[in-house]
Amino acid sequence: MSILTILEFPDERLRKKALPVKNVDNTVSKLIDDMFETMYDAGGIGLAATQVDAHLQILVMDTSEDKNDPLCFINPEILTQEGEFEYKEGCLSVPNFYEKVTRPGQITVKALNREGIEFEMQANDLLATCIQHEMDHLDGKLFIDHLSALKRQRIKAKLEKIHRLEGK
Ligand code: GNR
Ligand code: NI
């Protein structure tokens, strides 16, 4: 397994739209293993393939306290959404910035698991937020796109400065 490099805003590759996975083959399995290792190593609760410059519809997630409940979603689709939930979100691709975002608070999602078997799941609150945050990545969207243009611009300027100083 390997730890992959996580792209950081404003990298344009975070704007690419992910394509559906046609076959859950060994290449996809290896990518999923590497995504889990990368997510756990970075201390995140979710990771989308887009963030590691793989433009396929794959998400990994673990919102459990003990980091022992790995979830994988391939070609996810939201079937229903209801209610509202507000959460102070962060993103491994927008490091060290946290802002409140309101999203639907109860969703049902359909996806393939890592064996390629279709499943449906209901999710609430933090898990629902995380699934929607990750699905946004597959669509080239970031949580900061839910904020005002002014806030987004400030975050962009600060990250660009940090990247300049770090020589990224
Ligand atoms: O680690 C993460 N924490 C988080 C907190 C609130 C809402 C969403 C997230 S996902 C984020 C990891 C990440 O960037 N996934 O794309
Ligand atoms: Ni993110």
Side-chain angles (χ1 to χ4, degrees):
M1 293 215 284
S2 6
I3 292 168
L4 307 171
T5 303
I6 298 174
L7 301 177
E8 293 187 7
F9 176 73
D11 194 310
E12 279 303 310
R13 292 172 287 182
L14 289 167
R15 297 306 186 181
K16 289 204 206 177
K17 294 203 191 311
L19 295 173
V21 172
K22 291 207 177 116
N23 296 299
V24 185
D25 56 18
N26 288 333
T27 315
V28 168
S29 281
K30 166 85 166 65
L31 174 60
I32 291 167
D33 287 341
D34 290 347
M35 285 174 64
F36 273 116
E37 193 181 15
T38 303
M39 176 187 77
Y40 286 124
D41 175 73
I45 58 173
L47 188 73
T50 308
Q51 293 176 277
V52 294
D53 202 22
H55 302 281
L56 292 170
Q57 293 174 12
I58 301 171
L59 313 176
V60 298
M61 216 166 289
D62 190 339
T63 57
S64 70
E65 200 96 319
D66 299 335
K67 297 287 162 228
N68 58 0
D69 188 16
L71 297 175
C72 175
F73 301 79
I74 299 170
N75 302 343
E77 288 175 50
I78 290 185
L79 303 177
T80 67
Q81 43 184 44
E82 278 185 85
E84 285 192 348
F85 183 69
E86 184 189 74
Y87 196 77
K88 199 161 182 183
E89 296 194 18
C91 180
L92 295 170
S93 296
V94 190
N96 304 312
F97 291 90
Y98 300 87
E99 297 284 349
K100 285 181 192 168
V101 178
T102 302
R103 301 180 187 267
Q106 299 110 253
I107 63 172
T108 56
V109 58
K110 180 176 91 170
L112 304 181
N113 66 15
R114 57 174 311 164
E115 277 78 52
I117 311 287
E118 192 175 290
F119 68 98
E120 271 185 41
M121 179 189 268
Q122 288 176 277
N124 298 325
D125 301 346
L126 177 61
L127 182 59
T129 289
C130 192
I131 292 169
Q132 292 171 90
H133 172 116
E134 304 311 338
M135 286 183 70
D136 269 0
H137 278 300
L138 299 183
D139 211 21
K141 280 192 79 178
L142 298 167
F143 83 96
I144 52 172
D145 298 334
H146 294 269
L147 310 177
S148 69
L150 179 63
K151 276 194 180 171
R152 187 163 52 253
Q153 187 54 44
R154 284 192 184 137
I155 292 170
K156 180 166 179 266
K158 286 182 186 168
L159 277 175
E160 280 173 339
K161 181 172 176 189
I162 290 164
H163 292 163
R164 264 198 313 281
L165 292 169
E166 289 177 350
K168 274 193 198 166

